Every structure is written in C-alpha cells, then in structure tokens.
Amino acid sequence: MADKENKDVHSFFAADPEQADKAFFGRVANPDRRGFLKKTGLATMAAMVGTSIPFHRNMPIGFVPAAMASEDVLVGKDGLTLLNDRPVNAETPPHLLDDAITPTSRHFVRNNGIPPEEVDPAAWTVTIDGFVDTPMTFTIAELKAQFEVVTKALTLECGGNGRGFFNPPAKGNQWTYGAVACSEWTGVRLKDVLEKVGVKPEAVYTAHYSADTHLSGDPEKLPISRGMPISKAMTDEILIAFEMNGAALHPLNGAPLRLVVPGWPASTAQKWLTRIELRDVVHDGPKMTGKAYRVPNRQVAPGEKVKTEDFVIIERMPVKSLITFPENGAEVAGQATQVRGHAWSGDRSISKLEISIDFGTTWITAELDDAVNSGAWQNWRSDVTFPQGGYYEVWARATDSAGDMQPFAIDWNPKGYLNNTMHRVGLRVS
Ligand SMILES: Nc1nc2c(c(=O)[nH]1)N[C@H]1C(S)=C(S)[C@@H](COP(=O)(O)O)O[C@H]1N2
Ligand SMILES: [Mo]
C-alpha cells in the first residue's frame, strides 16, 4: 500500500480511491457522494463545505473532503450533533427528544470502536458460556422461537452524559444533554436465556463480547467488554434485542443484536452482541477496570487527584430530567406555554417533577405520567403563564422514589460521569 506522504496522495487516490479513503480516514466514503463530487464543480463543493477552498487544485480526484465525509457517518440519523467521527459519537439536542418514544433517527450513538461492516442477521449467533450448566449458541430465529418475545420502552443513558459541563474539564466525549433516549425495544429477556442455559452457583458477573473492532485495527484488542452482577442480569427489564421501534436495529445502534440495560450506564448494553460469558469474578474486560465507568468512593473536590483503588464501578444512573419543549432560546408569544419533558432515575421511579420560572425561588409541581413500563422514562408537562414579557429561565428538577433530588451544582468526579444537574432553558416572552 502507498505511504501517506503528501507526494503520493494523488497517485494513491487515482489508483484506488476506496483504499485511499480507508487509509486516510479509516473508512470508505459513501460511493454516491464520491461519484457526485467527481462531476460537481468547485462552486458546488464550496457551497457544501460552507466557504471557498483556496487549495482546491491540490485536491486529489475522487477525494471526499472530511467536512462532507463526516456527514456520511450519520446516515439514517436526523439532527444529531456529531462529537467525533472516529469512533462515531453523536448526541441529540434536547428539543429533538420531545417524543415519548425516541425515534430511531434521534437515538444517540456512542461507539468505542469500529462497527462491523457487513452483518448477516440470518447467520448471526450469540453464545452463552462460562459458569453455566450447558453452554448454548442461538441464532436470532432460535431466540424468537424458544423464548417469549417482548417489546418495552427502555431508557439508555451514557454514563458520560453531561461531561461537557465539568470544570475542571474531564477528557472524553464532551456530551451535553443528549446521550439519552427511550426507544421501544423488541427482544427476549436476558433472564429467560440465562435460566435456559442454567446459571452455576459460582457465577457472579456477566461479560459481554461483540463484533466491533478496536480503533487500532489490532484484532487481539476489544473496543469495550463490560458486564454486570448476575443479580442485575436476572431482572425483568434487560433484553437481548433485535428490533428498535418496530424495525431492525440501526447499524450504529448495534444491528442485528444487542443488549438493552435500562437504568445503568448504557455501556453495559453491548451492541453487535456475539457472546455473554458468566464469570466467577467481577469482569475485567476493556472499560471495566482502572477509572473507566467508575467514580471515587467518596465526594471529592473539583480537580482533586484520586487513587485508582479508590474508584468504584458505577451501577445505577442518578435521578435526572430534561426539558424537551420549548427549545432553549425560544420566543414565547402570548405569555403562556406548555413546558414538558422526561424524567428517569436508574431502576427507581420518579415521584415528583417541579419547575421554576423565577430562578429557583418558587417551584410548581408538574403533571407526571407513570412509566409505560418499568425501565422507561416518565413524561411530564406543565402549563406556565409568565407574569409579563421579558427573559425567563425554566428550570426542572426531578425527585425519585427514594427521595433523591437533582442538584443545582455538579458533584465533580475525575472522569466526568453521572452529571445530573438540573436542566434549564432560556425563553423570551413577548
Ligand atoms: N459493542 C459495543 N457496544 C457498546 C458500545 C461500543 O462501543 N461497542 N458502546 C457502549 C456505550 S458506552 C453506550 S453509552 C451505549 C450507547 O448505545 P447507542 O449507541 O445505541 O446509543 O452502547 C454501549 N454498547
Ligand atoms: Mo457510554
């Protein structure tokens, strides 16, 4: 293969644009787009990147500018904000999460590695082994035939959602609000599958494996392999899912088969699932150890250095809510509007949702729905009348069934996990 020196770029692209794309960007650009760009004039290309391209004469033939290539990575997604294109990480602006059930096109994407390029759902299998009575391998058709198929609305939230607001900042994807979603998932209960293979008494933890590959390209390395205590794995809400919102899973959300684990960091919900091993020790796969998906075992001061042995594995996600209407920055005509959104708290339920329009001085209790099923977020709404025109902020805070309430200020931790501070939107009332 040609080297990446500049002098070879042109001949490399001219000889094999697909190989060149792979070598330069780690993936192949959408062929339709490449064909289109070959024919397209400079003016059109400039319009697409949003400005002129001073060195356009130096661009190899068949070359897809990165500014356009990055759009290709979110095919089938609508309005998501791309945080990183290798691996692909994209979040949903809060106002696009207004639906009770998140459409697939608006479900966030959090990849640690490179998804499998070609998957054949008919040939896909998942193996359950380790500390089980009978190791077994199932095709998707066998899962459907041998276990009860259930559909549930389930909330997935990345452990790092809200990391972007940490000060001092934490390394990693700078998620703001939108690494959360509640789609409707169809699959079989993990619990039923574990009961069928037989859980040995020594089993204490699951270990999840998948078909995505490490960014380095090293086949020996896994991008992520997490797990959960057997007691959690045996709860009713955890699915091995093959459908999302009534259709096949989106390729970026784990097609054709994934785990869905509501209420815990969504990193436990392995996509492109191929194997679940039951272990007699806490799993130690990539992103299980060190400081990954862990927080200090005590409150720490912002910026404090914490020893690795003082970190503990994150289990349930904390109480949280989102205002999905109106959108931050909206103009409200006529001094009255409905305010609405969702609230959730690990494996607990939400008991109260309050909003404030006077910077937290007084609070109004919103109307709060029960969850459509356990594991789903709860929808809430409130009709608000503003006393006069001007700038207002709407703040929302949820309280859960154990009495935990969202805080005003971030409970800082070194890796930027579990940010559940109140969401607020600024409104101009005319
Ligand atoms: N195989 C595999 N599964 C994975 C990941 C991954 O990178 N590879 N990312 C995890 C993380 S960190 C999160 S937050 C969720 C995100 O699920 P989504 O991309 O469907 O929103 O998938 C989890 N499952
Ligand atoms: Mo995550």
Side-chain angles (χ1 to χ4, degrees), residues 101 151-155 182-184 237 262 370-378:
I101 299 295
T151 297
K152 285 170 188 278
L154 299 169
T155 306
C182 183
S183 286
E184 223 169 50
E237 294 77 20
D370 289 340
V372 290
N373 53 250
S374 100
W377 63 22
Q378 288 169 247

Side-chain angles (χ1 to χ4, degrees), residues 106-190:
R106 292 181 176 170
H107 197 288
F108 73 101
V109 178
R110 197 291 184 245
N111 289 349
N112 290 268
I114 306 298
E117 269 182 23
E118 271 157 41
V119 302
D120 176 4
W124 196 271
T125 59
V126 60
T127 297
I128 320 291
D129 60 9
F131 284 84
V132 300
D133 296 331
T134 322
M136 289 185 193
T137 296
F138 303 93
T139 61
I140 296 173
E142 285 165 347
L143 289 175
K144 288 180 185 172
Q146 294 179 33
F147 303 98
E148 187 189 351
V149 173
V150 291
T151 297
K152 285 170 188 278
L154 299 169
T155 306
L156 286 181
E157 183 179 19
C158 180
N161 197 21
R163 176 182 291 134
F165 304 112
F166 275 65
N167 188 17
K171 281 200 201 102
N173 286 297
Q174 297 297 298
W175 304 105
T176 64
Y177 300 105
V180 62
C182 183
S183 286
E184 223 169 50
W185 301 92
T186 299
V188 299
R189 291 185 196 90
L190 172 61

Side-chain angles (χ1 to χ4, degrees), residues 55-235:
F55 289 121
H56 71 271
R57 286 196 185 79
N58 301 351
M59 277 184 5
I61 294 163
F63 180 86
V64 178
M68 296 179 196
S70 60
E71 283 174 31
D72 291 335
V73 304
L74 290 177
V75 171
K77 294 290 173 182
D78 166 31
L80 270 56
T81 308
L82 192 65
L83 302 182
N84 186 2
D85 71 349
R86 190 182 149 80
V88 177
N89 284 284
E91 68 171 331
T92 315
H95 69 283
L96 296 183
L97 288 171
D98 195 38
D99 302 85
I101 299 295
T102 310
T104 302
S105 61
R106 292 181 176 170
H107 197 288
F108 73 101
V109 178
R110 197 291 184 245
N111 289 349
N112 290 268
I114 306 298
E117 269 182 23
E118 271 157 41
V119 302
D120 176 4
W124 196 271
T125 59
V126 60
T127 297
I128 320 291
D129 60 9
F131 284 84
V132 300
D133 296 331
T134 322
M136 289 185 193
T137 296
F138 303 93
T139 61
I140 296 173
E142 285 165 347
L143 289 175
K144 288 180 185 172
Q146 294 179 33
F147 303 98
E148 187 189 351
V149 173
V150 291
T151 297
K152 285 170 188 278
L154 299 169
T155 306
L156 286 181
E157 183 179 19
C158 180
N161 197 21
R163 176 182 291 134
F165 304 112
F166 275 65
N167 188 17
K171 281 200 201 102
N173 286 297
Q174 297 297 298
W175 304 105
T176 64
Y177 300 105
V180 62
C182 183
S183 286
E184 223 169 50
W185 301 92
T186 299
V188 299
R189 291 185 196 90
L190 172 61
K191 166 182 163 234
D192 293 349
V193 177
L194 293 181
E195 275 169 5
K196 170 116 181 186
V197 300
V199 177
K200 285 222 162 109
E202 300 93 312
V204 296
Y205 226 84
T206 61
H208 313 152
Y209 298 93
S210 53
D212 47 341
T213 50
H214 196 266
L215 285 176
S216 65
D218 181 346
E220 300 297 308
K221 285 189 181 162
L222 304 177
I224 185 169
S225 172
R226 302 200 68 237
M228 56 195 156
I230 296 293
S231 55
K232 174 67 180 172
M234 295 302 279
T235 56

Side-chain angles (χ1 to χ4, degrees), residues 28 94 159 248:
V28 178

